Amino acid sequence: MPKITIRKATIEDAALLLRFVHELAKEEKAEHKVKTSKEQIVKTLFGKNATAHVITCEADGVPIGHAVYFFNYSTWQGKNGLYIEDLYISPEYRNCGAGKEILKHLSCLALEKDCGRIEWSVLHWNASAIGFYESLGAKPQDEWIRYRLSGKALKEIACS
């Protein structure tokens, strides 16, 4: 098994992160939806107004994945939560413990920050990811339907 290390990403990782974003999108059959650039990643993840954070994962010093996360808030718990936007491990490094190490790292961070929970979304057809998450004790949430307002609809409501 390779030695897995997790570290906070730096601005120098922007091109690597963009590569991982494209790999993840391709895997999710949505590469055509990626609109970001290296410059946009620098601005939004490392700029002064950044509200999201990113860690990278390495196996024996080789970058193999990343996680993007941000803090949200639960009024019912009266606590922050940690939301994982992306968790990606290159396919050739899956099943070596890297995903578990990322979740362990983020779980420790969540507890340090007194978060009440960690949440993320997974595509309903991604059986291997679902199996992995459930093996760690994560439970699917089926009470809520996720909605999204973006593009033209977002602009129309904001400017009406």
Side-chain angles (χ1 to χ4, degrees):
M1 290 295 241
K3 180 180 183 230
I4 304 298
T5 54
I6 308 294
R7 66 173 174 80
K8 184 177 179 179
T10 66
I11 198 167
E12 289 79 22
D13 293 312
L16 171 68
L17 297 171
L18 182 61
R19 187 186 95 207
F20 286 151
V21 166
H22 279 281
E23 288 177 14
L24 175 60
K26 184 177 181 179
E27 188 172 295
E28 292 182 350
K29 302 169 181 60
E31 193 171 18
H32 63 285
K33 293 183 179 181
V34 175
K35 306 294 184 213
T36 195
S37 64
K38 178 182 169 189
E39 295 75 24
Q40 190 67 9
I41 286 174
V42 167
K43 178 182 174 184
T44 57
L45 288 177
F46 303 106
K48 66 177 180 148
N49 293 324
T51 57
H53 312 276
V54 61
I55 56 175
T56 61
C57 180
E58 298 176 350
D60 294 331
V62 176
I64 63 166
H66 77 290
V68 175
Y69 64 95
F70 56 88
F71 296 95
N72 55 18
Y73 187 78
S74 167
T75 55
W76 291 7
Q77 289 186 323
K79 290 186 170 206
N80 287 326
L82 188 150
Y83 187 86
I84 303 170
E85 178 63 27
D86 283 357
L87 193 165
Y88 177 75
I89 301 295
S90 297
E92 62 271 23
Y93 287 95
R94 293 185 186 155
N95 300 311
C96 74
K100 186 174 183 179
E101 286 299 313
I102 286 176
L103 284 171
K104 180 179 176 182
H105 178 89
L106 293 176
S107 295
C108 288
L109 177 63
L111 292 176
E112 287 172 19
K113 300 282 188 183
D114 194 31
C115 293
R117 61 185 174 209
I118 296 178
E119 295 179 306
W120 61 91
S121 297
V122 60
L123 291 166
H124 64 86
W125 53 260
N126 193 341
S128 62
I130 291 168
F132 167 64
Y133 297 139
E134 290 182 355
S135 77
L136 298 175
K139 304 287 184 220
Q141 303 298 296
D142 59 7
E143 303 93 1
W144 301 94
I145 298 172
R146 186 174 174 177
Y147 279 83
R148 178 176 294 158
L149 191 59
S150 63
K152 182 180 175 187
L154 174 62
K155 289 177 184 172
E156 285 178 359
I157 195 164
C159 300
S160 60

